[in-house]
Amino acid sequence: PNELTSEVVKMPNYLLIVLLLDLILPLILQISRLICKVCFYYFYTQLSNMHLPYHKFLFAVLLIFLQFQLACQPTANTPFSGKITYEVTYTSNYPGIMTSDSLTTFYGNRKMLFIEDSNYLFEMNGTNAHFSLYDPIKEIIYNNENGSDTVYYFDATKNGKDSILQFTLEKNVAVINDISCNKLELTTKYATVTYLFNSSYYVDALRFSNHYFDNWNYYLSMSQAVPLQIIYKNNMYSYSMTAISIEQMDIDNKVFEINPNWVLIKGFMF
């Protein structure tokens, strides 16, 4: 998520229904598979002993076909856990005030995402941008902007004034690292944000349903995937972050720990 803030955008009710169905349907599918397997075993044994009437024989064939169909259906997705490294470039629209190179030096040209379950951490190599850590228990984002122990915190359940006006969703429109990606474009009051993603890098959107900061919950409700590219544009500047390395792994919980030595200051939200 970027440094700007935006107005609270509530997740539409139909999106919540879709997400709930996404959780419930795999369970129903597994129960159906079990029932089919039990019935299939019974009718198979009866058929092999030639004790099965004609109409039950047809029903057994139907069950076999149904079992085959269910076996071909995908099982519930496993959320992506791992590390993604992004290459970042900034472009200034007012080089007389701050050049593109200055922006890149300030915020960094590399960004690493560590994500597991409801936790995520962005690490940056900028002179004034070092990390952004999300605490899913307190629903707070911690930003470090100067490398010291001073950390600014933001309420992730709130947003600023940059409300979403419209969105467009397109499938298979780009390739990132040989990975075919769908595109979600959000037009907000002050900016345009484009996300490229692939559903193979699944994220459980319900875990972030209250993460209104930077419209993160809205993006995940539409994509249910980690972004492989983000292009952000407003009147002042733009930036692009593109995945150059994707590593699936378990992340040590210590990565997401809050340092008790931090000096916490409440961040200002526009």
Side-chain angles (χ1 to χ4, degrees):
N2 60 67
E3 297 79 17
L4 297 185
T5 54
S6 18
E7 186 177 313
V8 172
V9 179
K10 294 186 177 180
M11 188 181 297
N13 291 334
Y14 75 89
L15 290 177
L16 288 174
I17 294 173
V18 170
L19 293 173
L20 288 174
L21 286 176
D22 189 55
L23 292 176
I24 296 172
L25 288 178
L27 178 61
I28 296 175
L29 185 61
Q30 294 295 337
I31 294 173
S32 301
R33 282 179 173 150
L34 180 61
I35 293 173
C36 282
K37 286 178 180 178
V38 172
C39 293
F40 172 71
Y41 176 77
Y42 168 75
F43 284 113
Y44 178 79
T45 55
Q46 293 294 311
L47 185 63
S48 62
N49 294 325
M50 301 300 292
H51 296 155
L52 200 62
Y54 180 73
H55 68 282
K56 289 188 176 181
F57 170 77
L58 292 179
F59 183 62
V61 172
L62 178 61
L63 275 178
I64 294 172
F65 176 75
L66 180 59
Q67 171 65 17
F68 175 77
Q69 289 292 97
L70 288 174
C72 293
Q73 297 295 321
T75 57
N77 288 325
T78 300
F80 173 78
S81 173
K83 170 187 172 183
I84 300 180
T85 301
Y86 299 89
E87 182 178 57
V88 188
T89 58
Y90 284 84
T91 302
S92 172
N93 293 338
Y94 294 93
I97 299 175
M98 180 172 279
T99 66
S100 301
D101 289 341
S102 298
L103 278 173
T104 302
T105 300
F106 189 90
Y107 291 113
N109 62 0
R110 284 288 186 278
K111 184 177 284 192
M112 292 182 293
L113 167 65
F114 300 86
I115 184 169
E116 184 165 276
D117 298 326
S118 303
N119 300 284
Y120 73 73
L121 167 69
F122 277 104
E123 286 188 348
M124 296 80 86
N125 66 347
T127 56
N128 283 68
H130 292 265
F131 67 79
S132 182
L133 173 65
Y134 175 61
D135 180 353
I137 305 300
K138 297 181 179 180
E139 297 183 320
I140 287 176
I141 294 174
Y142 299 93
N143 287 343
N144 180 269
E145 298 180 353
N146 55 17
S148 69
D149 289 335
T150 301
V151 174
Y152 296 90
Y153 67 93
F154 300 85
D155 185 349
T157 68
K158 301 183 184 302
N159 224 343
K161 301 178 181 180
D162 194 16
S163 57
I164 296 174
L165 303 178
Q166 65 180 29
F167 73 88
T168 58
L169 182 61
E170 301 177 66
K171 293 188 175 182
N172 302 319
V173 297
V175 175
I176 302 293
N177 271 354
D178 297 324
I179 302 169
S180 179
C181 294
N182 299 333
K183 181 176 81 170
L184 173 65
E185 184 172 280
L186 301 181
T187 301
T188 71
K189 197 172 181 179
Y190 301 113
T192 300
V193 189
T194 302
Y195 301 89
L196 296 181
F197 61 92
N198 183 288
S199 58
S200 299
Y201 303 97
Y202 172 73
V203 173
D204 184 354
L206 279 179
R207 294 177 183 268
F208 299 93
S209 60
N210 214 28
H211 191 316
Y212 289 93
F213 190 84
D214 280 341
N215 301 313
W216 191 237
N217 59 345
Y218 192 91
Y219 160 71
L220 289 177
S221 71
M222 301 295 291
S223 66
Q224 299 191 56
V226 177
L228 300 184
Q229 184 181 71
I230 300 176
I231 300 174
Y232 178 91
K233 297 179 180 180
N234 66 17
N235 290 333
M236 297 293 294
Y237 70 97
S238 63
Y239 74 80
S240 170
M241 49 184 284
T242 305
I244 57 175
S245 172
I246 304 172
E247 303 172 66
Q248 190 159 352
M249 64 177 76
D250 293 329
I251 305 297
D252 191 327
N253 287 334
K254 291 182 179 180
V255 171
F256 306 112
E257 287 183 353
I258 307 300
N259 190 331
N261 295 322
W262 287 347
V263 178
L264 299 179
I265 299 176
K266 187 174 183 179
F268 182 72
M269 193 175 293
F270 294 95

